[in-house]
Amino acid sequence: EDGPLGAELMLKVSSALSGDHIATLSLQSGCRVTELRQLLACKLNTRTVNVGLLYRGAVVHDSHATLVDAGFCHDSEVQVVQQTTEQMVLTASQDCTAKVWRVEDGSCLHTLSGHRNAVFSAMFSADGKRIVTASGDNTACIWCTKSANCIRTLSGHTDAVYSAAFSPDASTVVTASGDLSVRIWCVDSGDCRL
């Protein structure tokens, strides 16, 4: 039950992407959705505009509504999506680079240089903070999206790496190679787990 305006609501907050628990919050039912978003932005160390809320499988749009008006009740389970402020796309190229482009105006934000052969694929991590590229030079590289610096080179395949992708929590990368193997790598250490 929603209870009277001013009653406390207990909200369980988790990541929509990973399912990880973020917080359990006790808020007044008269609190506005925008206040919930501000509180979560502080916990996630991001800007409020980057925090999207999902409740009962739907996006919560009205930030000025109270929690009760938005349909929240005691013991509600809320999911958070961290959105990037810019919409970006990646391209992979035969010229040994990958590029990060701004969707809004088509401008190139970064060129990722460092591979010694064609780049066959490029993918963002779920949070958009990292990029992984796969190349004909038998490696995959992990890049910082913001700085465009290569932070890790994954070496060990004996033929071209045609595809690479992050796990949902961005802790591992899986690569597929022309050497007929698939490998799983730890993003932090660069160690091959499989």
Side-chain angles (χ1 to χ4, degrees), residues 118-170:
V119 177
F120 296 117
S121 76
M123 292 189 90
F124 286 110
S125 59
D127 62 9
K129 293 180 181 178
R130 294 183 178 172
I131 296 165
V132 63
T133 53
S135 172
D137 65 7
N138 304 355
T139 68
C141 290
I142 301 170
W143 310 79
C144 172
T145 302
K146 188 173 185 177
S147 69
N149 291 330
C150 179
I151 56 177
R152 182 103 39 242
T153 299
L154 307 175
S155 300
H157 284 290
T158 58
D159 201 345
V161 180
Y162 291 105
S163 182
F166 286 100
S167 61
D169 65 359

